[in-house]
Amino acid sequence: FHSRRSEAAAAVPRWPPKSQAIPTGGRVVVFSQIRDCANVIESFVRHYAALGFYRLLLYLDDCEDCAAEVLQKSGWVESGFVELVPVDDALRAQWPSMPSWRRVGQYAHMEVQSRQILNNEHALLRARELGA
């Protein structure tokens, strides 16, 4: 008898896989801003891991579901492949230093596209910190 819990524990990812070397061209980091996607988030992450990306930066834009909890329990965060970045007051305080702030900052509180632009610029800085 195998429980779902033991199967899930056995499937905890290890990142990066020992057989995967860092590509000659460097590391590639994927950025995505997510919202209310707990039902599909693990397959989304598995897809990018299978493609060989170095890290996945997921910006949690006012998530009202349990996507972050799903990723933490699945082992992707602990393995280091997924980095969760809440779109909270601490991140919003950094937006004025982003290059597009003067153009889109006034709309960030009401338009997802403006937040995506600012979070993308933040993710680019984070990717540089990671050596990508």
Side-chain angles (χ1 to χ4, degrees):
F1 172 74
H2 292 290
S3 71
R4 290 183 87 120
R5 188 158 185 76
S6 64
E7 290 173 10
V12 171
R14 187 167 46 102
W15 197 257
K18 286 186 178 182
S19 63
Q20 184 175 355
I22 295 172
T24 306
R27 298 175 173 142
V28 179
V29 174
V30 174
F31 152 76
S32 184
Q33 182 168 306
I34 63 172
R35 182 177 189 168
D36 300 336
C37 59
N39 60 333
V40 296
I41 194 63
E42 278 194 271
S43 62
F44 178 83
V45 170
R46 272 191 239 105
H47 172 75
Y48 285 101
L51 290 174
F53 287 94
Y54 173 67
R55 177 106 20 116
L56 189 55
L57 301 176
L58 296 178
Y59 284 63
L60 307 171
D61 186 30
D62 297 327
C63 285
E64 295 179 4
D65 69 358
C66 57
E69 184 179 331
V70 167
L71 289 171
Q72 289 166 341
K73 285 183 178 181
S74 71
W76 287 107
V77 174
E78 184 180 341
S79 73
F81 180 65
V82 170
E83 186 173 313
L84 299 175
V85 183
V87 179
D88 58 11
D89 290 340
L91 179 63
R92 287 182 187 101
Q94 296 178 50
W95 285 347
S97 66
M98 299 300 128
S100 295
W101 174 254
R102 292 182 67 182
R103 183 171 52 89
V104 301
Q106 63 183 331
Y107 308 108
H109 69 285
M110 61 185 168
E111 291 186 7
V112 68
Q113 295 88 351
S114 297
R115 293 191 299 277
Q116 288 171 333
I117 291 167
L118 296 166
N119 292 336
N120 181 54
E121 291 171 350
H122 185 270
L124 286 170
L125 294 173
R126 179 66 184 129
R128 287 185 192 129
E129 290 173 0
L130 294 168

